[in-house]
Amino acid sequence: MKVIAHRGYSGKYPENTMLSFQKAVESGCDEIELDVQLTKDDVVVVIHDERIDRTTDGTGLVKDYTYEELKKFNAAKLFPKVTDFQHVPTFDEYCAWVAETGITTNIEIKTGVYYYEELEKKTVDIVKKYGLEKKVMFSSFNHMSLVRIKELMPEAECGALLGERGIGNAGYYCHSYGFECYHPGYAGITDEIVAGCKKYGIKMNVWTVNSMEGLEQLYEWGCEGIITNFPGVCRGWLDSRKASEKNQEA
């Protein structure tokens, strides 16, 4: 089961910042999950919300700022005791950094609220620029964005993101549209959903799990990935669980 750092180590550091990504790697995560959007001047940036109000000291929509304007806002607003300032990173900046690590990346295409023109293509172009084709996957709540990703990069692994309620017969749904993965909220998973995904060979990466109960349940279900705000805690628990099982076998 992969440890996937949700927006980096977002439980302890400012989400979707280079600091959060670096700390996630230091914690032993297998993969980083992040979100991409477009600025007014078509720069692909890493930020979750369409509005910058929650995570920065600015206000307004990402799409209404040039990157030169956007990078002046402090993306560490919610963690004043952790760091003084963090900028909103570009996806290009992130890829240049992650290319030097062994970490894979789950790229969420944020086209579910505002449909950015050519966001999929611009994102794929940057992935290819750094030779990361085999070290990324894509996810989105807008499943048409995943269809577009498949047109641009047929070999790309894609995961259908669903809300807390999920979707019935998820395995068949993902299989029908060529999506290799299903990314449900933890509350939307049942034994039936898990069985359906396994039947059709669909991988399950589940968000956002920060409890011991959730960790244990996903492990028992045999889910492929856990998306968590606390990758260090998750890594420690998984390593301990595996070591215990190994000792029992011995």
Side-chain angles (χ1 to χ4, degrees), residues 34-223:
L34 53 76
D35 312 273
V36 293
Q37 304 198 46
L38 271 182
T39 63
K40 184 178 181 179
D41 53 341
D42 288 336
V43 176
V44 183
V45 291
V46 182
I47 188 170
H48 179 270
D49 300 358
E50 285 73 18
R51 295 192 64 87
I52 67 175
D53 303 54
R54 178 178 65 86
T55 57
T56 82
D57 56 358
T59 186
L61 296 165
V62 173
K63 71 180 185 66
D64 291 336
Y65 286 99
T66 67
Y67 183 64
E68 286 301 310
E69 294 168 336
L70 187 65
K71 72 178 185 180
K72 296 176 182 178
F73 296 117
N74 185 10
K77 169 187 171 182
L78 300 177
F79 290 83
K81 295 182 180 180
V82 173
T83 180
D84 292 332
F85 183 88
Q86 288 289 311
H87 66 277
V88 174
T90 66
F91 184 57
D92 200 285
E93 176 185 5
Y94 170 83
C95 287
W97 168 77
V98 83
E100 302 300 318
T101 76
I103 300 298
T104 56
T105 305
N106 174 356
I107 306 161
E108 181 179 343
I109 305 293
K110 298 292 287 188
T111 51
V113 175
Y114 181 85
Y115 194 81
Y116 298 98
E117 297 179 17
E118 298 296 314
L119 175 58
E120 299 93 345
K121 184 178 187 306
K122 292 178 186 299
T123 303
V124 166
D125 286 347
I126 295 171
V127 166
K128 291 181 177 179
K129 173 182 176 182
Y130 290 95
L132 296 172
E133 292 94 330
K134 294 182 179 180
K135 295 179 66 178
V136 300
M137 71 163 301
F138 297 86
S139 61
S140 185
F141 283 100
N142 182 348
H143 300 168
M144 291 307 297
S145 275
L146 301 181
V147 172
R148 178 61 177 146
I149 290 290
K150 285 291 190 182
E151 292 174 351
L152 295 165
M153 191 173 157
E155 73 277 18
E157 187 172 80
C158 289
L161 268 166
L162 271 295
E164 289 287 351
R165 296 180 64 181
I167 186 172
N169 207 8
Y172 175 73
Y173 171 76
C174 292
H175 174 75
S176 296
Y177 290 96
F179 305 147
E180 294 84 357
C181 303
Y182 177 50
H183 293 185
Y186 174 56
I189 307 178
T190 64
D191 291 337
E192 181 181 5
I193 290 294
V194 173
C197 285
K198 291 186 181 299
K199 175 182 177 181
Y200 288 98
I202 303 301
K203 302 174 187 176
M204 293 184 65
N205 299 309
V206 183
W207 60 271
T208 302
V209 183
N210 298 317
S211 69
M212 290 299 108
E213 176 188 6
L215 281 172
E216 291 178 0
Q217 182 62 77
L218 294 185
Y219 190 85
E220 293 300 323
W221 270 328
C223 292

